[in-house]
PDB file of all heavy atoms in Angstrom:
ATOM      1  N   LEU A   5      77.397 -59.608  99.673  1.00  0.00           N
ATOM      2  CA  LEU A   5      78.318 -60.715  99.558  1.00  0.00           C
ATOM      3  C   LEU A   5      78.987 -60.712  98.207  1.00  0.00           C
ATOM      4  O   LEU A   5      80.250 -60.945  98.103  1.00  0.00           O
ATOM      5  CB  LEU A   5      77.577 -62.063  99.703  1.00  0.00           C
ATOM      6  CG  LEU A   5      77.006 -62.369 101.046  1.00  0.00           C
ATOM      7  CD1 LEU A   5      76.122 -63.571 101.116  1.00  0.00           C
ATOM      8  CD2 LEU A   5      78.169 -62.471 102.155  1.00  0.00           C
ATOM      9  N   PHE A   6      78.333 -60.435  97.098  1.00  0.00           N
ATOM     10  CA  PHE A   6      78.944 -60.405  95.800  1.00  0.00           C
ATOM     11  C   PHE A   6      80.037 -59.344  95.778  1.00  0.00           C
ATOM     12  O   PHE A   6      81.128 -59.684  95.393  1.00  0.00           O
ATOM     13  CB  PHE A   6      77.855 -60.049  94.818  1.00  0.00           C
ATOM     14  CG  PHE A   6      78.519 -59.720  93.366  1.00  0.00           C
ATOM     15  CD1 PHE A   6      78.819 -60.793  92.514  1.00  0.00           C
ATOM     16  CD2 PHE A   6      78.698 -58.448  92.954  1.00  0.00           C
ATOM     17  CE1 PHE A   6      79.347 -60.565  91.335  1.00  0.00           C
ATOM     18  CE2 PHE A   6      79.302 -58.216  91.761  1.00  0.00           C
ATOM     19  CZ  PHE A   6      79.637 -59.346  90.835  1.00  0.00           C
ATOM     20  N   LEU A   7      79.764 -58.123  96.242  1.00  0.00           N
ATOM     21  CA  LEU A   7      80.784 -57.167  96.319  1.00  0.00           C
ATOM     22  C   LEU A   7      81.950 -57.327  97.083  1.00  0.00           C
ATOM     23  O   LEU A   7      83.134 -57.250  96.778  1.00  0.00           O
ATOM     24  CB  LEU A   7      80.146 -55.717  96.603  1.00  0.00           C
ATOM     25  CG  LEU A   7      79.134 -55.158  95.674  1.00  0.00           C
ATOM     26  CD1 LEU A   7      78.454 -53.891  96.158  1.00  0.00           C
ATOM     27  CD2 LEU A   7      79.780 -54.773  94.291  1.00  0.00           C
ATOM     28  N   ALA A   8      81.709 -58.002  98.288  1.00  0.00           N
ATOM     29  CA  ALA A   8      82.675 -58.320  99.267  1.00  0.00           C
ATOM     30  C   ALA A   8      83.600 -59.347  98.624  1.00  0.00           C
ATOM     31  O   ALA A   8      84.869 -59.281  98.688  1.00  0.00           O
ATOM     32  CB  ALA A   8      82.147 -58.914 100.556  1.00  0.00           C
ATOM     33  N   TRP A   9      83.083 -60.380  97.986  1.00  0.00           N
ATOM     34  CA  TRP A   9      83.830 -61.416  97.355  1.00  0.00           C
ATOM     35  C   TRP A   9      84.703 -60.877  96.200  1.00  0.00           C
ATOM     36  O   TRP A   9      85.833 -61.237  96.166  1.00  0.00           O
ATOM     37  CB  TRP A   9      82.810 -62.545  96.862  1.00  0.00           C
ATOM     38  CG  TRP A   9      83.580 -63.614  96.291  1.00  0.00           C
ATOM     39  CD1 TRP A   9      83.636 -64.130  94.943  1.00  0.00           C
ATOM     40  CD2 TRP A   9      84.484 -64.655  96.966  1.00  0.00           C
ATOM     41  NE1 TRP A   9      84.468 -65.254  94.813  1.00  0.00           N
ATOM     42  CE2 TRP A   9      84.916 -65.611  96.098  1.00  0.00           C
ATOM     43  CE3 TRP A   9      84.751 -64.798  98.333  1.00  0.00           C
ATOM     44  CZ2 TRP A   9      85.722 -66.704  96.377  1.00  0.00           C
ATOM     45  CZ3 TRP A   9      85.586 -65.787  98.728  1.00  0.00           C
ATOM     46  CH2 TRP A   9      86.051 -66.735  97.753  1.00  0.00           C
ATOM     47  N   GLN A  10      84.081 -60.078  95.435  1.00  0.00           N
ATOM     48  CA  GLN A  10      84.872 -59.437  94.332  1.00  0.00           C
ATOM     49  C   GLN A  10      86.082 -58.659  94.829  1.00  0.00           C
ATOM     50  O   GLN A  10      87.117 -58.800  94.303  1.00  0.00           O
ATOM     51  CB  GLN A  10      83.978 -58.450  93.509  1.00  0.00           C
ATOM     52  CG  GLN A  10      82.887 -59.015  92.727  1.00  0.00           C
ATOM     53  CD  GLN A  10      83.331 -60.029  91.791  1.00  0.00           C
ATOM     54  OE1 GLN A  10      84.359 -59.896  91.000  1.00  0.00           O
ATOM     55  NE2 GLN A  10      82.639 -61.149  91.655  1.00  0.00           N
ATOM     56  N   TYR A  11      85.872 -57.988  95.940  1.00  0.00           N
ATOM     57  CA  TYR A  11      86.941 -57.138  96.509  1.00  0.00           C
ATOM     58  C   TYR A  11      87.999 -58.148  97.056  1.00  0.00           C
ATOM     59  O   TYR A  11      89.248 -58.012  96.824  1.00  0.00           O
ATOM     60  CB  TYR A  11      86.393 -56.299  97.788  1.00  0.00           C
ATOM     61  CG  TYR A  11      87.477 -55.558  98.422  1.00  0.00           C
ATOM     62  CD1 TYR A  11      87.979 -54.415  97.920  1.00  0.00           C
ATOM     63  CD2 TYR A  11      87.973 -56.008  99.644  1.00  0.00           C
ATOM     64  CE1 TYR A  11      88.960 -53.687  98.576  1.00  0.00           C
ATOM     65  CE2 TYR A  11      88.965 -55.379 100.200  1.00  0.00           C
ATOM     66  CZ  TYR A  11      89.457 -54.181  99.776  1.00  0.00           C
ATOM     67  OH  TYR A  11      90.497 -53.508 100.361  1.00  0.00           O
ATOM     68  N   LEU A  12      87.570 -59.184  97.799  1.00  0.00           N
ATOM     69  CA  LEU A  12      88.646 -60.113  98.358  1.00  0.00           C
ATOM     70  C   LEU A  12      89.400 -60.833  97.304  1.00  0.00           C
ATOM     71  O   LEU A  12      90.620 -61.070  97.443  1.00  0.00           O
ATOM     72  CB  LEU A  12      87.870 -61.097  99.358  1.00  0.00           C
ATOM     73  CG  LEU A  12      87.275 -60.425 100.533  1.00  0.00           C
ATOM     74  CD1 LEU A  12      86.490 -61.516 101.446  1.00  0.00           C
ATOM     75  CD2 LEU A  12      88.317 -59.770 101.523  1.00  0.00           C
ATOM     76  N   THR A  13      88.723 -61.284  96.258  1.00  0.00           N
ATOM     77  CA  THR A  13      89.423 -62.036  95.290  1.00  0.00           C
ATOM     78  C   THR A  13      90.319 -61.127  94.426  1.00  0.00           C
ATOM     79  O   THR A  13      91.352 -61.520  93.929  1.00  0.00           O
ATOM     80  CB  THR A  13      88.422 -62.778  94.299  1.00  0.00           C
ATOM     81  OG1 THR A  13      87.416 -61.883  93.907  1.00  0.00           O
ATOM     82  CG2 THR A  13      87.802 -63.997  95.078  1.00  0.00           C
ATOM     83  N   PHE A  14      89.889 -59.873  94.331  1.00  0.00           N
ATOM     84  CA  PHE A  14      90.768 -58.925  93.503  1.00  0.00           C
ATOM     85  C   PHE A  14      92.079 -58.731  94.250  1.00  0.00           C
ATOM     86  O   PHE A  14      93.175 -58.622  93.690  1.00  0.00           O
ATOM     87  CB  PHE A  14      90.102 -57.462  93.374  1.00  0.00           C
ATOM     88  CG  PHE A  14      90.796 -56.496  92.606  1.00  0.00           C
ATOM     89  CD1 PHE A  14      90.847 -56.612  91.209  1.00  0.00           C
ATOM     90  CD2 PHE A  14      91.468 -55.479  93.164  1.00  0.00           C
ATOM     91  CE1 PHE A  14      91.591 -55.644  90.478  1.00  0.00           C
ATOM     92  CE2 PHE A  14      92.136 -54.578  92.410  1.00  0.00           C
ATOM     93  CZ  PHE A  14      92.240 -54.659  91.092  1.00  0.00           C
ATOM     94  N   TYR A  15      92.010 -58.551  95.600  1.00  0.00           N
ATOM     95  CA  TYR A  15      93.230 -58.350  96.376  1.00  0.00           C
ATOM     96  C   TYR A  15      93.598 -59.789  96.945  1.00  0.00           C
ATOM     97  O   TYR A  15      93.630 -59.905  98.248  1.00  0.00           O
ATOM     98  CB  TYR A  15      92.977 -57.340  97.497  1.00  0.00           C
ATOM     99  CG  TYR A  15      92.812 -55.956  96.882  1.00  0.00           C
ATOM    100  CD1 TYR A  15      91.612 -55.421  96.855  1.00  0.00           C
ATOM    101  CD2 TYR A  15      93.866 -55.245  96.395  1.00  0.00           C
ATOM    102  CE1 TYR A  15      91.356 -54.107  96.445  1.00  0.00           C
ATOM    103  CE2 TYR A  15      93.714 -53.984  95.831  1.00  0.00           C
ATOM    104  CZ  TYR A  15      92.480 -53.366  95.931  1.00  0.00           C
ATOM    105  OH  TYR A  15      92.330 -52.250  95.302  1.00  0.00           O
ATOM    106  N   ARG A  16      93.853 -60.674  96.148  1.00  0.00           N
ATOM    107  CA  ARG A  16      94.062 -62.030  96.595  1.00  0.00           C
ATOM    108  C   ARG A  16      95.192 -62.169  97.633  1.00  0.00           C
ATOM    109  O   ARG A  16      95.123 -62.866  98.619  1.00  0.00           O
ATOM    110  CB  ARG A  16      94.497 -62.968  95.393  1.00  0.00           C
ATOM    111  CG  ARG A  16      93.360 -63.321  94.629  1.00  0.00           C
ATOM    112  CD  ARG A  16      93.653 -64.371  93.562  1.00  0.00           C
ATOM    113  NE  ARG A  16      92.734 -64.338  92.450  1.00  0.00           N
ATOM    114  CZ  ARG A  16      92.787 -63.662  91.426  1.00  0.00           C
ATOM    115  NH1 ARG A  16      93.889 -62.861  91.153  1.00  0.00           N
ATOM    116  NH2 ARG A  16      91.771 -63.628  90.457  1.00  0.00           N
ATOM    117  N   ALA A  17      96.360 -61.610  97.382  1.00  0.00           N
ATOM    118  CA  ALA A  17      97.513 -61.742  98.186  1.00  0.00           C
ATOM    119  C   ALA A  17      97.208 -61.137  99.555  1.00  0.00           C
ATOM    120  O   ALA A  17      97.428 -61.896 100.523  1.00  0.00           O
ATOM    121  CB  ALA A  17      98.697 -61.030  97.566  1.00  0.00           C
ATOM    122  N   ARG A  18      96.581 -60.002  99.687  1.00  0.00           N
ATOM    123  CA  ARG A  18      96.310 -59.383 100.908  1.00  0.00           C
ATOM    124  C   ARG A  18      95.250 -60.329 101.751  1.00  0.00           C
ATOM    125  O   ARG A  18      95.487 -60.582 102.881  1.00  0.00           O
ATOM    126  CB  ARG A  18      95.703 -57.993 100.693  1.00  0.00           C
ATOM    127  CG  ARG A  18      95.557 -57.322 102.033  1.00  0.00           C
ATOM    128  CD  ARG A  18      95.406 -55.727 101.794  1.00  0.00           C
ATOM    129  NE  ARG A  18      94.147 -55.415 101.043  1.00  0.00           N
ATOM    130  CZ  ARG A  18      93.941 -54.195 100.500  1.00  0.00           C
ATOM    131  NH1 ARG A  18      94.942 -53.373 100.544  1.00  0.00           N
ATOM    132  NH2 ARG A  18      92.858 -53.989  99.958  1.00  0.00           N
TER     133      ARG A  18
END
Side-chain angles (χ1 to χ4, degrees):
Chain A
L5 291 172
F6 172 81
L7 292 175
W9 182 250
Q10 294 298 320
Y11 176 79
L12 294 177
T13 51
F14 182 76
Y15 293 106
R16 282 188 200 93
R18 189 161 67 193

